[in-house]
Amino acid sequence: MSGARRSKDRGRAGKLTRRAFLIGSVAVAGGVAFGVYQVRKPHPNPLDERPSPAGADDDPAVTLNPYLVVDADGVAIVTPRAEMGQGVHTTLAALVVEELDLPWESVRTLHGPAAAAYFNAAILEAAVPYPSWDHGWLAEGLRDVAGAAGKLLGMQLTGGSTSTADAFVKMRKAGAAARSVLVQAAAARWGRDAASLHTDGGAVVDPSSGERLPYTALAADAAAIEPPADPPLKPRSQWRLLGRSLPRVDMIAKCNGTAGFGIDVQLPGMRYATVLANPYLGGSRNGFDTGKAEGMRGVVRVVDLGPEHGDALAVVADNTWRAFQAAEALDIDWRPAPDETGDSAAMLNAIAASIDSLEPDATPRDDGDVEQALRIARAEARSMVEAEYRAPFLAHTTLEPPAAVALRETDRLTLWCGHQAPTLLRDLAAEQAGLDPEQVDVRVQFLGGGFGRRAEVDFALQAAAVAEAMPGTPVKLTWTREEDVRHDLYRPAAVARCTGVVGQDGLPETALMQIASPSVIRSFSGRVGLPAMGPDKLITEGAAMQPYHIANYRVVGYAPSSPVPLGNWRSVGASFNGFFHECFLDELAAAGGQDPLDMRLALTRDYPFARVVLETMRELAGWDQPLPTDDGRRRGRGLAMTHSFGSTVAQVVEVSDGEDGIRVERVHCVADVGLALDPAIIEAQMQSGIVYGLSAAMMEEITFKDGRVEQSNFHDYDALRLAQTPEIRVRILQSGEAPTGVGEPGTPPSKPALANAVFAATGKRIREYPLNKHVTFA
């Protein structure tokens, strides 16, 4: 956005009523909004401002529905999902623009406010316990019920790789409905038949006369026309934008430094804060001394946030650095929990033991008769594969640390931050402040990384609590990286106990996977006051619903308790189950003397979409061609395929081993994403997911000692560096009529593909990560 445009919009802000819609410094008012819902009794339009009395405002607001605004500056697309680098604002805008026949270079995007109108139905539809390829009447019926529940809950959420799937029809219909009423408005003005008109370049055109009326000139008339409930959509053959790699709408601002992240918000009279919370799991605070901190230069005050915020103390100063320095000077007597929580090894052993001591949480896959098959195999003394795999706790470490700005006024609370669940944050902040949700305004900024971390509310509620103690003063609260690492909501540790039997043909005929992991859903739900009913599907996600046929095939999930606070991490349960499942399959292939790719092709005979992915991978990776050995380094390649978030992704990792350690040289990725709306964004997301997954596979681990996290910053919780990052080649396939997930499915297969490649190069079968506990990486 240009400086002139930014100044103009700031000038308008003073005229907006308290129900005005704001995003950062951009005010949207005095326009016409279009959109449509395919639900009965739609939620109120959050942009619905009543027109001001004549003469009271030179820019009256007239709105219809939530997704599109026409004002004097042109057309702005309201994108209701958080932009955290995944390119969602570009793709969601393109859904509307495609139907509305706008020139792409004219498009503006604005983040939708916190509102139930922007509910995400797809995320609950994806939770139905049926594989995504099952379109039978029962599976589809349950998805319809889940989608209706999503509407009733009204939760605006960016997650689960569902943003595009949820918007695919909804936002195209918004554009089509807007186009319909604009054409009708032009027909009425010209006194012509609407069917004889068409749209092009942001205008209604009469082909017989060549006359054009821009949308800006028709907006007010169009707002008075009832939009069609179910407008027809363009067939795929007529798409101009969808299916193409478009210039991203957020890229220029992110390159020139004008993009507004939560940590960038500046307000007049602002004060700056940070927090220091109890480092012990379930610990307590025996006392504290703030004298030294309060005497430091620039310190305004210290606020005791109490046990509801982790017994944290917040230091408020005249800049963030001074707040950080003063927080280090706080003298706090932290006490560990009375029941010693132990260390990481004890926690993992307890998780493993739950497979024997607990009843199953769920058995989402149970084909054939596993018990009988195992009895026969043991009676015949047949060779069996028995393995236990382990995965550690992991942190998110988003590039932008948790940060939020809060302003408490007499009957109002305003929050500025990057957030994945703004309606949830709004409601919990209102409860904390003793306000109605309508009195809380959450203004979502760009997110400097999310990965599930910014679906949490802890940092924003802390900011609100500090602002409560300083009414009328805007407060920016920023966590240090040390607080971020030591007080994350972690990806849970997990253990899988696997037993397999190979038939005389060398193919697996029996596979039993028993997976134990503390429940993310129950941990998250307990924090935010949502019900957590039924089994936790995430515990077996990425293992149970895989497109393989094995005659006797069972996947069982166990949900032990844990003292560790848990949260959603990129690809959630699939992030560890991809490792368990695909490493186990590789061991079964070796036991049966099978080529790993050939074996998977045989097992996917009932799943043609998965076979195509594997066949494409054979060609892309040159699977049948030997790797070079002329430089004296041992080389190997490893394969893995995981179906998650509706997409099927296979990866081949190539490694070499020499005196300096193992180098990850190349990653080949084949992704079937249903329908590719923007290939460049999809490729970037696959690359991002691979780097995220390889970082965890190679070096990342959160460990506990005496109930405290041992890691604190990037020096001991590192990530893949540029010099270590391999060449990544991506091939995109399309087997569906609608888009499936792309933000998360690139992560699960990366870890097992690397582990399988290490085995191929070195002969070392590693059953836990990070792999650097067993091998050295160059």
Side-chain angles (χ1 to χ4, degrees):
M1 179 176 288
S2 70
R5 172 70 53 79
R6 198 179 288 260
S7 288
K8 180 177 181 180
D9 287 335
R10 279 178 178 154
R12 290 178 177 172
K15 299 185 291 183
L16 299 180
T17 69
R18 78 175 189 83
R19 288 196 53 186
F21 161 39
L22 296 130
I23 171 173
S25 63
V26 181
V28 178
V32 181
F34 297 94
V36 339
Y37 275 112
Q38 290 303 98
V39 293
R40 295 179 181 177
K41 298 181 180 177
H43 290 289
N45 176 10
L47 312 183
D48 188 16
E49 279 284 328
R50 298 278 68 79
S52 302
D57 193 328
D58 61 4
D59 195 9
V62 181
T63 70
L64 182 61
N65 258 329
Y67 297 113
L68 190 145
V69 173
V70 182
D71 60 20
D73 296 317
V75 178
I77 310 301
V78 179
T79 50
R81 300 290 174 256
E83 178 58 77
M84 46 189 161
Q86 81 278 39
V88 71
H89 281 193
T90 298
T91 301
L92 295 192
L95 293 171
V96 179
V97 171
E98 183 67 78
E99 296 292 336
L100 200 53
D101 291 325
L102 285 169
W104 183 250
E105 58 274 11
S106 72
V107 171
R108 292 179 292 146
T109 59
L110 303 166
H111 197 290
Y118 301 120
F119 68 93
N120 186 338
I123 200 162
L124 287 186
E125 292 169 5
V128 168
Y130 286 87
S132 64
W133 59 79
D134 185 344
H135 298 292
W137 67 269
L138 183 55
E140 288 298 302
L142 287 176
R143 290 185 186 110
D144 289 343
V145 171
K151 180 211 179 262
L152 292 174
L153 285 172
M155 184 175 290
Q156 181 183 359
L157 179 63
T158 306
S161 292
T162 58
S163 293
T164 303
D166 182 72
F168 180 57
V169 173
K170 187 187 302 182
M171 293 190 71
R172 286 159 66 214
K173 285 186 179 293
R179 179 181 179 275
S180 174
V181 294
L182 286 163
V183 168
Q184 291 179 61
R189 187 173 297 186
W190 283 330
R192 296 165 195 166
D193 182 6
S196 69
L197 309 179
H198 70 265
T199 53
D200 179 66
V204 179
V205 180
D206 182 352
S208 63
S209 66
E211 292 178 276
R212 298 172 61 91
L213 277 173
Y215 294 161
T216 51
L218 293 167
D221 293 347
I225 301 172
E226 183 70 21
D230 190 17
L233 301 176
K234 287 184 181 179
R236 188 172 170 181
S237 61
Q238 294 180 15
W239 286 355
R240 299 177 302 107
L241 301 176
L242 298 177
R244 290 176 47 203
S245 297
L246 298 172
R248 282 181 51 165
V249 297
D250 57 333
M251 196 54 63
I252 292 177
K254 287 179 176 177
C255 289
N256 65 22
T258 60
F261 293 82
I263 205 168
D264 295 328
V265 174
Q266 294 292 331
L267 298 172
M270 180 179 283
R271 292 292 179 260
Y272 304 84
T274 195
V275 294
L276 194 65
N278 195 327
Y280 290 103
L281 294 170
S284 60
R285 188 182 65 196
N286 195 45
F288 58 88
D289 183 355
T290 63
K292 182 178 179 181
E294 289 176 321
M296 295 176 69
R297 182 183 178 189
V299 172
V300 175
R301 64 181 296 181
V302 176
V303 179
D304 184 357
L305 298 181
E308 60 269 31
H309 295 288
D311 278 331
L313 297 181
V315 177
V316 185
D318 58 3
N319 67 46
T320 297
W321 179 247
R322 287 174 177 166
F324 284 179
Q325 295 296 100
E328 292 182 6
L330 291 170
D331 183 8
I332 308 174
D333 184 10
W334 302 120
R335 297 296 175 91
D339 51 335
E340 179 59 49
T341 54
D343 59 17
S344 302
M347 292 179 188
L348 270 166
N349 288 337
I351 291 170
S354 71
I355 295 173
D356 298 316
S357 62
L358 294 181
E359 290 295 316
D361 188 63
T363 305
R365 186 157 195 166
D366 196 3
D367 302 343
D369 191 333
V370 170
E371 279 94 352
Q372 181 179 359
L374 290 177
R375 280 196 301 269
I376 292 172
R378 291 189 177 105
E380 296 176 354
R382 294 173 59 184
S383 176
M384 302 174 67
V385 174
E386 297 184 275
E388 184 174 284
Y389 303 92
R390 294 190 171 201
F393 293 99
L394 293 173
H396 295 82
T397 53
T398 56
L399 184 61
E400 177 192 17
V405 172
L407 173 61
R408 182 67 160 95
E409 297 168 292
T410 304
D411 61 351
R412 191 132 191 94
L413 171 65
T414 306
L415 292 167
W416 293 260
C417 65
H419 209 271
Q420 294 174 243
T423 53
L424 178 66
L425 173 58
R426 177 201 63 196
D427 294 348
L428 292 175
E431 181 180 348
Q432 175 177 287
L435 299 170
D436 294 329
E438 294 76 16
Q439 295 173 286
V440 177
D441 185 6
V442 177
R443 303 184 186 180
V444 179
Q445 313 296 302
F446 282 133
L447 284 65
F451 314 123
R453 180 61 180 94
R454 283 188 167 84
E456 303 290 345
V457 297
D458 49 352
F459 60 97
L461 292 186
Q462 286 179 341
V466 177
E468 187 78 26
M470 303 177 65
T473 300
V475 177
K476 179 190 291 186
L477 184 141
T478 307
W479 284 20
T480 64
R481 182 62 67 186
E482 287 74 16
E483 283 293 294
D484 175 36
V485 173
R486 291 172 177 161
H487 292 93
D488 201 352
L489 292 310
Y490 302 98
R491 202 289 305 272
V495 176
R497 192 175 297 164
C498 303
T499 305
V501 181
V502 176
Q504 292 184 351
D505 59 358
L507 297 176
E509 64 178 28
T510 302
L512 170 63
M513 295 188 68
Q514 297 170 286
I515 302 163
S517 180
S519 171
V520 169
I521 287 179
R522 288 162 199 160
S523 183
F524 176 79
S525 299
R527 285 193 298 277
V528 301
L530 293 174
M533 299 177 289
D536 185 348
K537 180 186 175 184
L538 300 181
I539 293 172
T540 56
E541 181 180 48
M545 305 299 183
Q546 295 306 294
Y548 295 112
H549 174 81
I550 299 174
N552 307 292
Y553 192 3
R554 177 182 294 169
V555 180
V556 188
Y558 298 85
S561 61
S562 172
V564 179
L566 308 172
N568 293 284
W569 190 90
R570 191 172 191 169
S571 75
V572 207
S575 69
F576 51 78
N577 283 320
F579 178 79
F580 299 158
H581 191 278
E582 292 299 290
C583 287
F584 181 43
L585 276 191
D586 222 58
E587 294 205 44
L588 291 172
Q594 295 284 307
D595 175 87
L597 193 150
D598 288 338
M599 184 195 75
R600 285 174 172 83
L601 280 169
L603 297 180
T604 56
R605 61 183 179 269
D606 297 333
Y607 305 97
F609 62 91
R611 285 184 62 86
V612 172
V613 169
L614 292 169
E615 289 164 351
T616 304
M617 178 58 77
R618 183 187 291 278
E619 179 270 323
L620 177 67
W623 182 264
D624 299 316
Q625 304 300 315
L627 294 168
T629 58
D630 53 356
D631 59 357
R633 297 179 69 87
R634 295 182 297 172
R635 282 182 163 79
R637 53 165 67 100
L639 168 69
M641 181 176 73
T642 305
H643 183 87
S644 62
F645 305 94
S647 297
T648 307
V649 179
Q651 291 170 19
V652 166
V653 172
E654 296 178 9
V655 302
S656 67
D657 185 30
E659 292 183 358
D660 59 347
I662 293 174
R663 296 178 189 165
V664 184
E665 296 187 337
R666 195 168 292 106
V667 179
H668 309 274
C669 175
V670 178
D672 181 351
V673 298
L675 179 63
L677 297 180
D678 192 308
I681 286 177
I682 294 169
E683 181 179 6
Q685 281 297 282
M686 291 299 151
Q687 293 169 340
S688 168
I690 288 166
V691 171
Y692 205 71
L694 290 179
S695 295
M698 292 167 63
M699 63 192 71
E700 293 180 348
E701 180 180 27
I702 289 293
T703 59
F704 295 84
K705 183 176 181 181
D706 300 326
R708 296 178 62 150
V709 174
E710 294 187 283
Q711 290 71 32
S712 63
N713 210 313
F714 288 116
H715 71 285
D716 53 9
Y717 190 86
D718 208 352
L720 206 63
R721 303 301 178 98
L722 189 60
Q724 295 174 295
T725 302
E727 173 191 356
I728 300 175
R729 302 171 64 197
V730 179
R731 182 80 55 84
I732 299 168
L733 303 181
Q734 305 181 66
S735 67
E737 297 299 320
T740 53
V742 298
E744 297 174 273
T747 298
S750 59
K751 302 184 194 75
L754 175 59
N756 293 338
V758 169
F759 171 73
T762 68
K764 294 181 180 179
R765 183 68 74 182
I766 304 174
R767 293 171 172 165
E768 67 173 346
Y769 62 90
L771 302 181
N772 67 357
K773 296 166 73 172
H774 302 275
V775 294
T776 299
F777 288 97

